[in-house]
Amino acid sequence: MATKPRFTKQGTTPDEPEDVGAGHTKHPVDEKLPPLKMATTGLQHVAAMYAGVVAPPLIVGAAIGLSPKDLTFLTGACLFTAGLATFLQTLGIWKIGARLPFVNGVTFAGVAPMLAVVGSTKDKDDALPIIFGAVIVAGVLGFIAAPFFSKLVRFFPPVVTGTVITLIGVSLMPVAFGWAQGPDAKAPDYGSMKNLALAGITLVIVLVVRRFTTGFVKQIAVLLGLVIGTVVAIPFGATDFSPVGQADIVGFPTPFHFGAPQFAGAAIVSLCVVMVVSMTESTADMLALGEIVDRPADEKTIAAGLRADTLGTAISPLFNGFMCSAFAQNIGLVAMTKIRSRFVVAAGGGFLVLMGLCPMAASLIAVVPRPVLGGAGVVLFGSVAASGIQTLVKANLDKDNNVLIVAVSLAVGLIPIAVPEFYHAFPENAKIILDSGISTGCVAAVVLNLLFNHIGKGRDADDVTHPMEGGSDIAGPRTEATTAGAH
């Protein structure tokens, strides 16, 4: 039986160089692609996550009442800091960075508590400094807690990770459907036939390119779909080029542009809760991505990835940015394109930094109509859910216990999606967690897995003990051949 080429050792620590000498083949995650291919595929990652990065600063800035110039500045700052955080995650320094094709950006989980801070601040000029102070504290505390938090990885077997990955994809689908309807829910044309048609056309373009092309063209199907969809939208009046003409060519995010950080207890507690939610989702995302790229995320990798998340969060306010976290939508892009190089995502981080320094460049991505993004998002986010289903195949679902774990966890995770107002009577801080289906579903899956597969006499010999292995692999001791086959 032919064996797969041995990639670099899974257990290599983030601060150790990998052995790619005789008998070893460089893992696709560590491959450097040709410059043109790296640039275009990196740009795809930027296009996939751009809307998610700029939405929080636009929402918070509008609530504060920032001028258009300051709003543009805040948005550019978030792009800049997202690029820095992505560098930390993909390239890494010391024991910081998962060194996986992992995009980092502003987490949407922080929007609700930040809006609460804005609403409770009498002088709106103090709102951003208070937010920045809370984000710094949350980032520092998260960095300290990262190695302890990562030990939870042993409680993430396929029955848990498959459920969470599926929830990630399903939870993101409403975002794509919202984009498909248009940028403004109050606009007369929101959900119009025109917008839905543009989304449908973009989806068809991506599918046609994926079906009838090969090689490099096939791999950049999403980018081609966005470009062609934007061109198609011009006759419909859905493409607005005015942001390009209004944007400055150069603009550096001056440190503490909105004032020195202020430290308010309530805001700090609220953002620390968000940090826990963010770290939970990042752990699930790293496990998902590790499975997709055939480099399962072990405890050291997760600790290093969480350090990158939290350090990126701690330094982000220095340049007027918000809390940073992993972007699940880009996992779908990796799954679909099969391009696993972390340097491709690092190139995307470079584009984010450049857009932060050049508002005019950032405005080019803003030209893409939201319905066009929605059409591409259906493919991206659906790919994540499909990856979760693939992982669940390894979860021994012939066992009644595991079926119950998946069934209940999916149900709990889908509550905020199916009934958004379900938790309306709960305190605001509790809703930060409960309104995240990924977090609640993840917690439910972990707790149920502990109850059914770890505690008491109900644990069977074929239960999963390793985060990314099926039960059949642990009947005997793990051999080197088994480990190599996992890659």
Side-chain angles (χ1 to χ4, degrees):
M1 180 177 177
T3 58
K4 296 182 181 179
R6 287 186 64 194
F7 296 130
T8 53
K9 191 168 69 173
Q10 174 189 333
T12 301
T13 56
D15 56 333
E16 292 177 353
E18 294 176 324
D19 179 10
V20 291
H24 289 74
T25 301
K26 182 177 288 188
H27 195 287
V29 168
D30 300 312
E31 288 181 345
K32 295 182 180 179
L33 306 183
L36 178 60
K37 188 173 183 179
M38 190 175 297
T40 51
T41 50
L43 191 59
Q44 264 198 145
H45 280 282
V46 175
M49 54 95 73
Y50 177 84
V53 173
V54 301
L58 289 175
I59 294 170
V60 175
I64 295 173
L66 295 181
S67 66
K69 184 177 180 179
D70 279 341
L71 196 57
T72 300
F73 182 93
L74 184 64
T75 303
C78 288
L79 289 168
F80 179 77
T81 54
L84 296 182
T86 299
F87 284 152
L88 280 175
Q89 196 65 268
T90 54
L91 304 179
I93 54 173
W94 184 58
K95 295 182 179 181
I96 300 169
R99 289 165 174 82
L100 291 172
F102 217 38
V103 175
N104 274 47
V106 181
T107 175
F108 207 86
V111 171
M114 287 192 291
L115 290 177
V117 171
V118 173
S120 62
T121 304
K122 294 181 180 179
D123 187 350
K124 300 306 178 187
D125 290 339
D126 291 333
L128 282 176
I130 291 174
I131 290 172
F132 292 150
V135 170
I136 291 173
V137 173
V140 171
L141 293 178
F143 186 87
I144 295 171
F148 307 101
F149 200 91
S150 66
K151 295 183 184 299
L152 296 175
V153 67
R154 66 180 181 274
F155 300 118
F156 286 81
V159 68
V160 174
T161 56
T163 301
V164 175
I165 296 167
T166 303
L167 276 173
I168 290 172
V170 174
S171 297
L172 288 170
M173 291 308 295
V175 176
F177 300 148
W179 288 347
Q181 295 180 82
D184 184 2
K186 297 180 180 179
D189 65 344
Y190 187 74
S192 65
M193 291 296 295
K194 177 190 72 175
N195 288 345
L196 298 181
L198 288 174
I201 290 170
T202 304
L203 174 59
V204 170
I205 291 170
V206 174
L207 295 176
V208 168
V209 173
R210 289 287 299 178
R211 173 63 182 84
F212 296 104
T213 63
T214 58
F216 177 61
V217 175
K218 182 176 182 178
Q219 290 173 334
I220 61 170
V222 173
L223 182 60
L224 291 176
L226 292 173
V227 172
I228 298 173
T230 301
V231 173
V232 170
I234 294 176
F236 292 93
T239 306
D240 181 12
F241 291 96
S242 62
V244 178
Q246 297 172 0
D248 295 330
I249 297 177
V250 179
F252 183 78
T254 311
F256 301 128
H257 175 81
F258 297 99
Q262 300 178 27
F263 302 95
I268 290 173
V269 171
S270 184
L271 268 297
C272 283
V273 171
V274 174
M275 177 55 71
V276 173
V277 173
S278 176
M279 292 173 73
T280 301
E281 293 186 357
S282 288
T283 298
D285 289 344
M286 276 183 271
L287 290 168
L289 186 59
E291 179 77 359
I292 290 168
V293 303
D294 294 324
R295 178 180 279 180
D298 57 14
E299 185 177 312
K300 291 182 179 179
T301 300
I302 292 174
L306 292 177
R307 287 192 189 101
D309 271 4
T310 53
L311 180 60
T313 293
I315 65 176
S316 182
L318 303 180
F319 299 99
N320 313 284
F322 296 143
M323 185 177 290
C324 293
S325 180
F327 265 53
Q329 50 262 54
N330 292 82
I331 298 175
L333 190 58
V334 174
M336 194 190 73
T337 64
K338 306 299 183 185
I339 297 177
R340 296 179 276 178
S341 171
R342 60 191 172 100
F343 297 102
V344 164
V345 178
F351 282 117
L352 290 170
V353 170
L354 289 175
M355 286 191 292
L357 297 175
C358 178
M360 184 172 287
S363 66
L364 290 174
I365 298 292
V367 167
V368 179
R370 201 63 60 83
V372 172
L373 282 174
V378 170
V379 178
L380 294 176
F381 305 155
S383 297
V384 177
S387 296
I389 295 171
Q390 289 176 330
T391 303
L392 283 173
V393 172
K394 306 176 183 179
N396 294 338
L397 293 184
D398 55 324
K399 293 175 54 180
D400 290 340
N401 287 351
N402 284 347
V403 171
L404 283 174
I405 294 170
V406 175
V408 176
S409 300
L410 284 176
V412 171
L414 288 173
I415 288 174
I417 303 171
V419 189
E421 299 299 321
F422 189 83
Y423 298 112
H424 73 277
F426 284 72
E428 289 298 322
N429 286 339
K431 286 196 290 184
I432 294 172
I433 300 174
L434 296 173
D435 283 341
S436 171
I438 298 171
S439 296
T440 54
C442 180
V443 171
V446 170
V447 171
L448 290 173
N449 179 60
L450 284 172
L451 178 63
F452 284 104
N453 292 331
H454 288 267
I455 298 175
K457 300 179 181 180
R459 194 165 180 229
D460 298 327
D462 62 346
D463 284 333
V464 176
T465 60
H466 188 274
M468 286 299 171
E469 290 178 359
S472 59
D473 288 340
I474 66 167
R478 297 183 72 219
T479 63
E480 183 179 356
T482 304
T483 304
H487 296 287

